[in-house]
Amino acid sequence: QRRDMGDLDMWAVVVHVGAGFHSEAKEKLYKRVIRKACIAAAKVLKEEGNACAAAVAAVSVLENAECTNAGLGSNLTMEGRVEHDASIVDGKTRRYGSVGAAPGLYNPIQAAYLLLENQLSASTHKLQPPMFLAGEGAYRWTRMRCPELACDPSQLVNHHVTPHSKERWQRYLNQMEGEAPENQTDTAEDLDTLYDTVGAVVIDQHGVTAAAVSSGGIWLKHSGRVGEAGIVGSGCWAEATFVDGALVEDAVACSVSGTGEQIMHQHVARSCLQRWLRLTGTDASISFDESLSNFIQSEMLPVHAPSFVGLIALRQPADGSCIDVVWCHSTASLGFGFMSSTQPDRVQSSISRLARPEMAGYTVSTGGTRIRPNAQP
């Protein structure tokens, strides 16, 4: 059964604050941020906004939270600067916008969305509109198009650098150069943001999906390094196929976190969704458990073992009968939350943890839930 795009049906938003290690001491803080992000996205959807706008609203909240590795307080490069990666995909058009290793952006996901919207209004352009911009080129383009999204050039060097991130950067630099005390080890606070890429997946009331992801990258990365958050198909992906205004195939979306080089090599977001779509009738958690298990065991990644990855995803059948939400990770933990039209005032959030955290990188934890219309039990 096909669903017409004019029908008003269920919507859902799922967000994550990264796959890695989330200390129990900060669990309440993460859940507050997750709740705030879900509510921001839900507000857009309740006001008839589209899936992309809702995803951007959610990720913008996550970027503004200093406890995540995106936007304010992000991990620093070798030179002590913040360089952002961010992407967003519109599932209906398959168009996307991405920025990589970009400095000076207040909300990187909004710059990526600006690139996406610029393509959709490109009929007035004489030049091919960009989909992906990197480095200071991304900053200059964004500042030219929308000055309020980029800082003043005089602030570029220290933009989004916090006292805490600067202190950690100096300590890690000292460790790398052999100047740190031999008995100095990372605290739970230090490990807390190693992989905290953030992201969101959304399906709106018309069945259109969107996926978004944003990250400050790994600590002490080389300037110009782009991780999975800047690479569509690796860090995020979404599909929603319409014919004559009706959704004709299952709509899906996925957002990924983890070790970028591993994730990019396997195109995790898109490959996991394609496997899920092929396995019609198979339990979603089984599909993703197998996908990430294959990822961990891949002979293509021997030099990068252990393999760290985590993701959130959603899927809605073409008939709109339900929405499946899935989370999966090989890291010690994954922080996520979701909200839907069936309970529009309730955010469900969790820090999913491996039963045996010492096996992080070598085993997978998977979970999921099915959201049904209010009329159904």
Side-chain angles (χ1 to χ4, degrees):
Q1 182 179 353
R2 306 194 316 178
R3 182 170 49 137
D4 187 81
M5 194 173 174
D7 295 338
L8 294 182
D9 280 315
M10 293 188 296
W11 55 260
V13 54
V14 191
V15 308
H16 72 81
V17 290
F21 173 81
H22 302 80
S23 67
E24 293 185 6
K26 293 177 67 177
E27 187 165 319
K28 289 184 178 179
L29 173 60
Y30 279 114
K31 287 184 176 180
R32 283 198 299 270
V33 173
I34 289 168
R35 174 179 172 79
K36 188 176 179 180
C38 285
I39 290 173
K43 182 176 185 295
V44 174
L45 295 172
K46 289 174 183 178
E47 296 174 353
E48 304 298 318
N50 62 52
C52 281
V56 169
V59 173
S60 294
V61 169
L62 301 176
E63 290 174 337
N64 292 338
E66 193 173 337
C67 63
T68 67
N69 176 31
L72 181 65
S74 290
N75 295 344
L76 305 185
T77 67
M78 190 74 73
E79 293 78 15
R81 300 177 63 181
V82 170
E83 292 185 354
H84 303 104
D85 302 331
S87 299
I88 182 166
V89 181
D90 180 336
K92 183 183 180 186
T93 65
R94 309 294 202 277
R95 291 182 182 270
Y96 68 86
S98 300
V99 295
L105 303 178
Y106 289 115
N107 287 101
I109 193 62
Q110 294 181 23
Y113 190 35
L114 190 63
L115 280 164
L116 171 60
E117 289 189 309
N118 182 61
Q119 297 166 49
L120 299 178
S121 60
S123 59
T124 59
H125 300 323
K126 294 182 179 179
L127 299 176
Q128 174 67 39
M131 303 174 77
F132 174 43
L133 289 174
E136 292 200 11
Y139 163 77
R140 290 193 297 269
W141 185 90
T142 302
R143 185 168 172 79
M144 177 182 66
R145 293 276 178 174
C146 194
E148 61 268 27
L149 296 185
C151 73
D152 186 88
S154 64
Q155 301 173 331
L156 267 178
V157 173
N158 294 313
H159 185 255
H160 274 168
V161 177
T162 64
H164 180 61
S165 64
K166 193 73 172 182
E167 183 274 328
R168 288 176 66 183
W169 169 79
Q170 187 61 63
R171 186 148 46 88
Y172 289 160
L173 202 61
N174 290 344
Q175 289 178 9
M176 189 185 69
E177 296 174 351
E179 298 177 8
E182 291 185 2
N183 61 349
Q184 180 173 301
T185 58
D186 287 334
T187 64
E189 174 80 8
D190 295 326
L191 294 173
D192 218 31
T193 54
L194 284 179
Y195 300 107
D196 282 353
T197 300
V198 304
V201 291
V202 175
I203 184 163
D204 65 24
Q205 52 267 56
H206 305 298
V208 178
T209 53
V213 63
S214 180
S215 178
I218 57 177
W219 275 105
L220 302 184
K221 65 180 181 180
H222 291 284
S223 181
R225 180 260 189 188
V226 176
E228 87 283 354
I231 307 299
V232 167
S234 294
C236 64
W237 186 249
E239 296 184 17
T241 302
F242 290 82
V243 175
D244 297 329
L247 185 67
V248 296
E249 296 179 2
D250 290 8
V252 292
C254 179
S255 180
V256 180
S257 172
T259 304
E261 281 68 20
Q262 298 172 343
I263 292 168
M264 290 185 290
H265 196 286
Q266 300 292 302
H267 305 291
V268 169
R270 191 170 187 178
S271 63
C272 281
L273 287 182
Q274 289 177 338
R275 179 182 178 86
W276 195 12
L277 288 171
R278 287 197 304 269
L279 299 177
T280 303
T282 300
D283 182 84
S285 61
I286 294 176
S287 173
F288 278 89
D289 187 274
E290 291 179 350
S291 292
L292 291 202
S293 294
N294 291 340
F295 168 78
I296 289 173
Q297 298 165 12
S298 172
E299 296 180 358
M300 304 299 291
L301 302 175
V303 298
H304 295 301
S307 303
F308 295 117
V309 64
L311 60 82
I312 55 172
L314 59 76
R315 177 179 183 174
Q316 185 175 50
D319 63 8
S321 59
C322 64
I323 299 174
D324 286 326
V325 174
V326 178
W327 53 91
C328 190
H329 59 101
S330 67
T331 52
S333 58
L334 172 72
F336 70 94
F338 60 92
M339 194 172 184
S340 74
S341 54
T342 60
Q343 294 181 303
D345 298 313
R346 181 189 177 195
V347 176
Q348 300 185 60
S349 62
S350 177
I351 306 295
S352 173
R353 301 183 185 277
L354 290 181
R356 296 178 60 191
E358 70 274 13
M359 293 298 293
Y362 299 98
T363 189
V364 176
S365 176
T366 308
T369 188
R370 173 163 288 181
I371 301 169
R372 295 186 182 277
N374 286 322
Q376 297 186 26

